[in-house]
Amino acid sequence: MKKLVIIPGGFHPFHAGHMSLYNAARDAFPSADVYVAATNDKSTRPFPFKLKKMLAVAAGVPANRFIEVKSPFRSEEITQHYDPDTTQLIYVRSEKDKNVQPVPGGAKKDGEPGYLQPYKRNGRVPMSKHGYMTYLPTVQFGPGMTSATEVRSKWPTLSQESKLRLVHALYP
């Protein structure tokens, strides 16, 4: 069965930690098609999709693998190109997001398992029945950062020299 791996998120901004997650997903699923799914939602964060994609490509993500979507955990703009009965869908997130919604393993009102389930090596079904979620290690980048939230909060307080060092750490 074909494997489709999607890394969903906000990517405000895309940084070295995201690139590490992308590379880790490619290593964990070497035969899969791996994509990054990002929105153009600027309602609560400042980065438009075009800039996020430019930063992702600068970091090393192929342009055709960084896709604008309406909803990162639906990613229909990506999944529509795959046969739902012969493709397994696996979402990959950083371990730091293990308790951030959506979390896999829930149940529907009728007691049946929800669509999104924890990834296991055995017993997987195609995306027409379930999607899966797995978590890969969180890495530090820059001066001990692990998230774009930290980048956004520290940026206004940094000197020009510190900002330049951070940019080099984000995009080596």
Side-chain angles (χ1 to χ4, degrees):
M1 194 171 299
K2 179 106 180 120
K3 285 188 178 81
L4 171 60
V5 173
I6 297 176
I7 303 167
F11 309 106
H12 289 276
F14 190 91
H15 55 67
H18 295 133
M19 190 65 210
S20 291
L21 184 61
Y22 178 82
N23 288 333
R26 288 184 39 203
D27 290 346
F29 302 98
S31 64
D33 290 347
V34 179
Y35 289 88
V36 179
T39 69
N40 193 32
D41 181 6
K42 299 179 300 283
S43 61
T44 60
R45 295 183 184 147
F47 294 88
F49 177 81
K50 185 176 178 180
L51 178 57
K52 291 188 278 191
K53 184 170 187 169
M54 186 172 49
L55 294 171
V57 170
V61 175
N64 66 340
R65 297 299 176 145
F66 195 90
I67 307 297
E68 183 176 349
V69 298
K70 288 182 183 169
S71 176
F73 286 95
R74 289 202 175 233
S75 303
E76 293 168 352
E77 296 82 352
I78 300 169
T79 60
Q80 70 182 341
H81 301 290
Y82 292 82
D83 182 343
D85 294 319
T86 62
T87 306
Q88 292 175 339
L89 175 59
I90 305 161
Y91 289 102
V92 170
R93 296 176 87 183
S94 176
E95 284 179 339
K96 72 177 179 52
D97 295 326
K98 240 182 179 166
N99 297 316
V100 176
Q101 292 294 329
V103 295
K108 298 177 187 175
K109 289 180 183 178
D110 65 4
E112 290 290 316
Y115 180 75
L116 195 56
Q117 293 297 309
Y119 177 78
K120 296 176 183 155
R121 297 246 176 241
N122 300 322
R124 295 180 308 267
V125 297
M127 67 180 176
S128 59
K129 305 228 184 287
H130 288 292
Y132 297 94
M133 179 89 73
T134 192
Y135 300 89
L136 297 175
T138 301
V139 298
Q140 285 190 2
F141 57 89
M145 295 179 179
T146 60
S147 74
T149 302
E150 292 171 307
V151 173
R152 291 191 310 275
S153 67
K154 289 183 182 181
W155 187 262
T157 66
L158 296 175
S159 68
Q160 285 303 109
E161 185 178 311
S162 295
K163 286 179 180 178
L164 186 57
R165 281 195 307 271
L166 179 56
V167 167
H168 285 289
L170 295 175
Y171 312 101

